[in-house]
Amino acid sequence: MTNDQLTAPELTELTLTEPDRRELIGWAATCVRRLLPVFILHRPDDDRLANALDAADRFREGKLTVGPMRKQAFACHAAARDCTDPAAAAVARACGQATAVAHMGGHARNLPRYTKKALSGHVLAEELEYQQSHVPDRFRIYIYGE
């Protein structure tokens, strides 16, 4: 069965199946990678987000389990606390949420919220459009409630 043939998850389901989380974390990590320059501008020597995104790739490939992924998410949130710039902190939080998709799919719902805290104006509008247009179709309502 291909991903296109899989059914959309119920809106009330926060955990999701592992195959769903593996698929959804790919989208979430891609979205955060697009935001990463905002973080790097303020914390160029902090590799916690890059490490978490690499771990997300390994989780998607089935090479990493939930336990290490949770530690990566916690590291992103620690990076957010270390930020003095609110936009960079929002990107770190977005990364933490994206990485936490390995544990619970519902974390993906926080990406648009943190994107709104990291960006503004036309750049924000373009990024939100990108996120929504690239989410796998069967997760669109799950993420955006539309």
Side-chain angles (χ1 to χ4, degrees), residues 121-142:
H122 76 278
V123 174
L124 169 61
E126 289 174 2
E127 197 58 34
L128 292 173
E129 170 59 30
Y130 175 88
Q131 289 177 5
Q132 194 163 12
S133 68
H134 285 81
V135 69
D137 285 341
R138 66 191 191 90
F139 292 112
R140 187 172 319 283
I141 292 173
Y142 181 78

Side-chain angles (χ1 to χ4, degrees), residues 78-132:
R81 289 189 298 275
D82 291 342
C83 288
T84 57
D85 179 78
V91 172
R93 297 270 181 217
C95 192
Q97 294 297 315
T99 306
V101 167
H103 170 249
M104 184 179 296
H107 286 289
R109 294 174 175 170
N110 292 311
L111 263 70
R113 178 169 61 106
Y114 283 112
T115 300
K116 290 174 186 175
K117 292 181 179 196
L119 303 174
S120 62
H122 76 278
V123 174
L124 169 61
E126 289 174 2
E127 197 58 34
L128 292 173
E129 170 59 30
Y130 175 88
Q131 289 177 5
Q132 194 163 12

Side-chain angles (χ1 to χ4, degrees), residues 22-38:
R22 289 189 191 286
E23 181 180 0
L24 195 53
I25 204 170
W27 167 80
T30 297
C31 292
V32 172
R33 279 188 175 95
R34 292 173 54 89
L35 300 173
L36 200 55
V38 173

Side-chain angles (χ1 to χ4, degrees), residues 70-84:
R70 290 183 76 191
K71 290 178 183 175
Q72 292 291 333
F74 295 147
C76 292
H77 292 295
R81 289 189 298 275
D82 291 342
C83 288
T84 57

Side-chain angles (χ1 to χ4, degrees), residues 53-68:
L53 293 169
D54 289 343
D57 293 339
R58 291 195 313 275
F59 176 81
R60 183 167 189 202
E61 296 166 356
K63 297 177 181 175
L64 210 54
T65 61
V66 172

